[in-house]
Amino acid sequence: MKKIIAPLLVGVALSSAFAADDSLKQEIEALKAQMAELKNAQAKLNVDALKAQVSEIKAHDAGDNIKWTVDFRTAYDVVDYKINGLPDQDNGIWTNKLILGMGAQPLDNVVFKGSLAAYKAFGQTNMSGTSYFQNFDWYDSQKPNDSTIRLREAYFLYTGDMGDVHYSASFGRRPSVDGFLTNLRAGNEDPASPIGHNINMEFDGASFKFDFDKVTGISGLYAKLCLGRGFSNTTGSYAMSSTGFNPGYVNDSNNPNMDLAGLIIQFFDNGQYKIMGNYFMAKNLMDMNVFGMRAAYTTDPMDPTKTVYAPMFNFMDVGDMTGGALSLQVNGIGDGINDFLDDTIFFLSYAFSKTDPNKNQPIGMYGSSLLPMPGMLGSMDSETGSSIYTGVQVPGIMKGQRLGLEYNHGSKYWRSFTYGEDTLAGSKLATRGDAYEIYYILPIAGKNLTAQLSYIYIDYDYTGSDTFFGWTGTPMDVDTTPSAVKTAQNVRASLRYRY
C-alpha cells in the first residue's frame, strides 16, 4: 500500500508546484503591465509646469505662514510677609498665564518673532484699580492682571555676513525676560537675550549682534549692542489740561524719557562652559514727584477722619546709572565622572550698580507730610551696590525630573532692573539682603505637560529693593523702620502645557 501512496504524493506535489509557477508568472505579467501604464502616465506629465505651480504656492504662502506656539500655565501661589510693627499679611491666589508665540521667515535673511500674553488672576478684572503701577510697561505681561491680551514681544531680525563675521539687526519689543541663568528657574531650555541677574524686564528697543567666533577661533564669541526705552515722554491722544484739549503726542515735560544702552558679550561657549558679561548705561531714571493729595475713598461718610487719601504725582528725572554683570554657567561637572555630575548644571554670577544723581529733588511723602527728597536711592552722592547669584540644578528622583537650588545676596545700595521677574512676592534678585529658592520640575507628559513646585524665602536687610530710583528706593534698616517688610515668602504649585 505504501508503494502506491508514495508516487501519488509525488504527483500531487509536482502538480502544485507547476500551478504555483503559473500563478507567479501571471502576477509578474500583471506587474509589468502596471509599470508600463505608470511610465506612460509619467511621460505625459509636464514636470516643468508642476515645478512652476509649487514655486508659486510657496511664494504665496510665504507671507501667510506664521507658526504658532502655546505656553499655558495654571498656578496657585501663596505669598506671605512679615512686617515690622504690624501683623503678618498673606494670601493665596490662582492664576492663568498664557503666552502665544509666533514666528515667520519669508526670506532666508529676514525673520519675524513675537508673542502675545495674558496673565490673569482668577475672578479678577479690575486689579489696576487697586494698584497705581499694575500696568507698568516693564512687566505688563509678567504680573497677574485681567484677561486682556497684551503685546509681550514683536521684533524682526535681519541677518547677513561681513566676511567671516555673521551679523543681525533687530528692532521692536524685545525678548528681554527670563534671560541667561534665570531661564533655569523658569523651566525654559533656551534663555532670552539679557543676563537675568541684573536685567529682567520688558521694553522696546533694538539690538545689533556680531559673531566673532570664526575670525578669532574662540568658540561662541559674540558681541551685542542693545538699546532700550523704558518710558516715553509724550502725551496721549486728545490730551487735556486746565485750558482744554492739547495736541496729541507732544512733549510731556512732566515725565522724562528713560533710555538704556548696553553691551552684551558672550566670551566663550563650547556647550559645557559658557561665560557672559554685560555693561549698561541707563539715562534719566525716575521716581514719583508728588504734587498733592486727594481723597480716594472713605470707610465712613459720616466720619472725615476715616477718609483714605492718595497721592497725585508725575515722574521726575533723578539721575543716571551704570552697571554690569559677569556670569558663568557650567553644563556638566567634570568629564564623564558619572551620569549625575554629567547632568548637573552650576552657575555663579556677580553684578554691580552705580548711581549718578543729578540735583533734582522730587517731592516725596514723609509720613503725612510732603517734603523734597534727596537724589537717587535717598542720597545726593554716587552710591555703588553689588550682588552675587549662584545656583545648581541636578537630576531629580525619576528620569526627566529636575531639582534646583538658588541663592542671591544684595548689598545696601544694590539696584537691579528685574521688575519682570515672575515672582509674586517681589523680585528676589533685587533683594537687599538674602534670598533662597528651591524648585522641582516634574514632566507629566514629556515636555508638553509639566508640573513645578517652588518656594522662595527673602530675608531683607534694607527697604526699597524693588521700587523706583529716587526716594522710594531709599535703603532703610528693616529692623528699625516701622511698617518695613522684613521677610517675604512665595510658594507656587503649577501645571504647564507647551507645544
Side-chain angles (χ1 to χ4, degrees), residues 259-276:
D259 294 319
L260 182 144
L263 180 64
I264 299 174
I265 298 179
Q266 180 172 280
F267 296 102
F268 185 75
D269 182 10
N270 67 350
Q272 183 177 13
Y273 299 100
K274 185 174 181 177
I275 304 173
M276 295 189 69

Side-chain angles (χ1 to χ4, degrees), residues 115-196:
S115 63
L116 306 173
Y119 194 175
K120 186 185 186 308
F122 274 45
Q124 180 63 279
T125 59
N126 63 346
M127 198 171 287
S128 59
T130 61
S131 171
Y132 288 109
F133 309 109
Q134 178 63 34
N135 295 329
F136 218 69
D137 195 52
W138 304 341
Y139 47 78
D140 207 18
S141 64
Q142 287 291 102
K143 300 298 179 188
N145 205 321
D146 55 29
S147 57
T148 302
I149 300 290
R150 294 177 170 84
L151 182 63
R152 188 171 186 264
E153 298 174 0
Y155 61 98
F156 70 82
L157 287 166
Y158 176 81
T159 63
D161 296 289
M162 296 186 297
D164 289 333
V165 177
H166 183 73
Y167 68 88
S168 65
S170 174
F171 286 82
R173 189 154 179 81
R174 315 307 304 159
S176 52
V177 295
D178 298 334
F180 182 50
L181 302 183
T182 55
N183 64 300
L184 297 174
R185 64 186 294 271
N188 296 335
E189 186 173 351
D190 298 319
S193 180
I195 293 177

Side-chain angles (χ1 to χ4, degrees), residues 401-453:
Q401 298 177 358
R402 306 292 292 176
L403 169 67
L405 300 168
E406 297 191 357
Y407 167 78
N408 60 274
H409 173 84
S411 68
K412 180 177 181 179
Y413 284 100
W414 163 241
R415 166 58 72 209
S416 66
F417 291 74
T418 52
Y419 302 93
E421 182 184 303
D422 191 2
T423 307
L424 299 196
S427 170
K428 70 166 192 169
L429 287 172
T431 299
R432 293 166 173 166
D434 301 291
Y436 309 84
E437 179 173 11
I438 181 171
Y439 63 85
Y440 200 85
I441 302 174
L442 305 90
I444 296 175
K447 295 182 178 180
N448 298 115
L449 184 62
T450 59
Q452 182 165 347
L453 299 171

